[in-house]
Amino acid sequence: MIGVVDVGGGERGVYGAGILDWCMENGIDFDCCVGVSAGAANMSSYLAGQIGRNFAFYTTYSFRPQYMGAGLAVRTGEYTDLDYIYGSLSVAEGENPLDYPAMVASGKQFIIVTTDAHSALPVYFSMDDMAQDDYAPIKASSALPLVNKPYPVHGRPCFDGGLSDPIPVHKAFDAGCEKVVVILTRPRDYYRDPKKDVPVARLLMTKWPRIAEALMNRAGLYNLQLDLAKKYEREGRVLIVAPDDIGDMATLTKDREAIEGLYAKGYGDARAIKDFLER
């Protein structure tokens, strides 16, 4: 069984979109798809076989004021509108609907990583937790603290999966995979600096103390999981696909040229996957 893990990363997730488009065009078939944050959205289009769908979200829709921006934050208290992205745009009657029947018919395993808002422990959802026009787990996986309120799934409020399981390669192996492709959206030798998370963690401490604590520990967890993925790579069980450089791209960057360039990098770097799977 072959698995793929897409760690997401907001607008940097377009790198994974490029990789998965190349995979669809070249018949690369993953049995188990694990998505975190924007990576979960990328995976849904891959499972549905919709080449180019993710690209439109990064390069066109993300520039709309209904999608994200300061004006939206003033009006709603959230910088991105998850119901617009994975609701209005993605439902059957939406502008760019997710082909949910095709996603289900793929017969593949879909694991969506989220974080419980109260315990800060990882919560994993599957295709069974969604329905036509109800993509709550994908929304929850992308709910960044301060950027968004926690999103409820079956009444359980959840935040972004990257807080509790940022590089869930173990989840793919636990599902029975023998080989796993890990898509990173930062260079493979990038290690997180815990100091960068401190200001946001302090703002969250009163209302979401466990989430604040998870944010304080996120760098250490990411770095540990990255080292684990590299260990598996040395053993021939994992292929890490990561951009050599992302320039000034950040989680919420609105720079069309940079976004398109990162997509092109992903599309080009995906060629390594074919060789890895044929070994």
Side-chain angles (χ1 to χ4, degrees):
M1 193 158 84
I2 306 300
V4 59
V5 172
D6 187 339
V7 305
E11 291 298 287
R12 294 193 314 275
V14 74
Y15 179 77
I19 289 172
L20 293 171
D21 276 354
W22 186 92
C23 288
M24 284 188 276
E25 290 175 0
N26 289 273
I28 301 298
D29 206 22
F30 298 109
D31 304 296
C32 177
C33 301
V34 185
V36 184
S37 193
N42 285 348
M43 288 299 182
S44 65
S45 294
Y46 168 78
L47 288 163
Q50 292 176 278
I51 299 170
R53 180 175 182 270
N54 289 321
F55 182 76
F57 278 76
Y58 292 105
T59 60
T60 300
Y61 307 136
S62 68
F63 289 86
R64 293 179 178 176
Q66 308 99 301
Y67 191 110
M68 70 174 175
L72 183 66
V74 170
R75 292 193 306 274
T76 69
E78 298 189 85
Y79 190 82
T80 62
D81 188 341
L82 300 173
D83 286 329
Y84 177 72
I85 302 166
Y86 307 116
S88 301
L89 291 172
S90 299
V91 296
E93 301 301 320
E95 188 173 340
N96 197 336
L98 174 66
D99 191 344
Y100 178 75
M103 186 172 72
V104 173
S106 71
K108 302 181 188 310
Q109 191 170 359
F110 187 16
I111 300 172
I112 302 161
V113 185
T114 71
T115 301
D116 184 281
H118 296 296
S119 69
L121 294 174
V123 183
Y124 306 99
F125 295 103
S126 71
M127 209 95 75
D128 293 338
D129 296 297
M130 295 188 288
Q132 178 70 62
D133 299 343
D134 180 4
Y135 309 126
I138 299 175
K139 297 177 187 180
S141 189
S142 298
L144 287 165
L146 291 190
V147 173
N148 301 102
K149 301 165 187 173
Y151 202 93
V153 185
H154 308 317
R156 184 178 198 172
C158 295
F159 277 116
D160 190 289
L163 292 167
S164 58
D165 200 356
I167 310 176
V169 64
H170 68 93
K171 197 66 183 174
F173 284 125
D174 288 347
C177 293
E178 297 166 356
K179 285 187 171 184
V180 179
V181 173
V182 175
I183 300 170
L184 302 181
T185 57
R186 293 185 184 274
R188 60 179 290 126
D189 292 324
Y190 170 86
Y191 286 86
R192 293 191 69 95
D193 180 353
K195 294 178 184 176
K196 292 183 178 180
D197 292 321
V198 171
V200 176
R202 285 175 176 163
L203 292 172
L204 292 166
M205 190 61 73
T206 301
K207 189 167 186 179
W208 303 106
R210 294 289 177 84
I211 293 297
E213 186 179 347
L215 199 55
M216 296 283 279
N217 295 328
R218 178 172 63 165
L221 179 59
Y222 179 94
N223 297 343
L224 181 67
Q225 290 187 327
L226 178 58
D227 283 337
L228 182 63
K230 289 181 176 180
K231 172 182 175 291
Y232 288 139
E233 189 174 47
R234 290 191 296 270
E235 295 172 358
R237 301 171 65 195
V238 157
L239 172 69
I240 297 173
V241 188
D244 59 350
D245 179 63
I246 60 170
D248 296 324
M249 277 287 290
T251 304
L252 300 174
T253 292
K254 296 175 87 170
D255 180 334
R256 186 173 281 106
E257 185 177 350
I259 292 169
E260 290 178 352
L262 197 54
Y263 173 88
K265 275 183 185 287
Y267 191 90
D269 291 347
R271 292 175 173 82
I273 296 172
K274 191 170 185 294
D275 292 338
F276 169 68
L277 298 181
E278 290 176 349
R279 287 178 210 158

